[in-house]
Amino acid sequence: MTDDSIREYDPDRHPERPPDEDWTVLASEAEYETGWYTGGYDRVEQPDGSEKDYYWADLPAAAVVVALADGPDGKHLVMVDQYRPTIREQCLELPAGIVEDGESYTEAGARELREETGFEAAGVSLLEEFWCSTGVLRHRRGIVFAEGLEPVDADLDDNEFLTVTTVPVDDALDVARRRPANDATIEGVLLAKAEGLL
């Protein structure tokens, strides 16, 4: 490659690498607090010396659960069918929820699975943890794999109106990609498939 602005990937620079330029934060302001997330901005000096406000929403971390269940005709994924007022659409999704103080992703995933779907998992493992929508969100997500499911009593929150649905593993990616598709469900299915778990 001849363009000086393009460089080949260097694995030695990952996962922790310093920025290529200085990005000095001159001020950081939280403008509002919703109880669900905090919204604000950072006033940043960019590498060319100019200044710009970068807006952000700071949300708690969340766990998304890829839960594998045995069915009479093979393996299924447990999903939840619920209306999402934010986008005004009915969504078929993987179970998910906020990581509470003191919880790990696996603990939060097991709890959310039990509360939302009424399934207790014998085994839970973390597949991946990562930042989401880094252009605007300060939000981390953990994808959790759950297996060895046994039915227990669900314990829904007062804003959870959902139906538990199972999807054959062979159909899971196609179902996840149907409109209105969402990032967490597609990510969870793809990561589990990449790990050879589905």
Side-chain angles (χ1 to χ4, degrees):
M1 295 184 190
T2 57
D3 189 335
D4 290 339
S5 67
I6 299 173
R7 68 173 167 235
E8 289 191 40
Y9 171 75
D10 178 0
D12 293 332
R13 292 177 55 110
H14 288 267
E16 300 295 333
R17 66 185 203 274
D20 289 336
E21 307 285 349
D22 289 329
W23 292 76
T24 304
V25 177
L26 304 172
S28 186
E29 298 291 337
E31 293 189 309
Y32 54 91
E33 172 65 57
T34 69
W36 175 246
Y37 66 89
T38 302
Y41 69 92
D42 289 346
R43 183 73 177 173
V44 177
E45 182 179 340
Q46 300 179 121
D48 64 0
S50 63
E51 296 180 11
K52 181 175 175 62
D53 292 339
Y54 284 87
Y55 286 84
W56 44 259
D58 192 344
L59 288 78
V64 179
V65 189
V66 183
L68 190 62
D70 291 317
D73 56 345
K75 300 288 187 180
H76 287 66
L77 285 190
V78 177
M79 303 181 86
V80 292
D81 193 0
Q82 61 184 326
Y83 182 73
R84 289 296 194 181
T86 306
I87 61 170
R88 301 175 184 171
E89 300 249 28
Q90 189 76 20
C91 296
L92 188 59
E93 307 171 340
L94 294 175
I98 295 301
V99 178
E100 296 179 355
D101 288 343
E103 281 187 321
S104 65
Y105 284 109
T106 53
E107 289 167 339
R111 176 183 51 75
E112 287 291 343
L113 178 68
R114 182 175 60 253
E115 290 176 356
E116 288 190 2
T117 71
F119 282 110
E120 185 82 51
V124 183
S125 57
L126 179 64
L127 299 183
E128 196 72 47
E129 174 192 0
F130 49 88
W131 288 105
C132 301
S133 302
T134 53
V136 68
L137 295 184
R138 293 178 177 174
H139 176 58
R140 293 189 71 79
R141 179 176 295 156
I143 304 292
V144 172
F145 182 72
E147 57 189 334
L149 306 187
E150 294 292 338
V152 294
D153 290 332
D155 183 20
L156 297 174
D157 292 336
D158 60 7
N159 67 332
E160 289 180 320
F161 302 89
L162 53 83
T163 302
V164 179
T165 304
T166 60
V167 175
V169 164
D170 291 344
D171 299 333
L173 186 55
D174 288 338
V175 169
R177 295 176 71 180
R178 289 181 193 153
R179 294 185 66 183
N182 74 77
D183 56 347
T185 298
I186 293 173
E187 290 162 352
V189 172
L190 287 174
L191 281 167
K193 287 178 78 69
E195 293 291 331
L197 297 169
L198 302 181

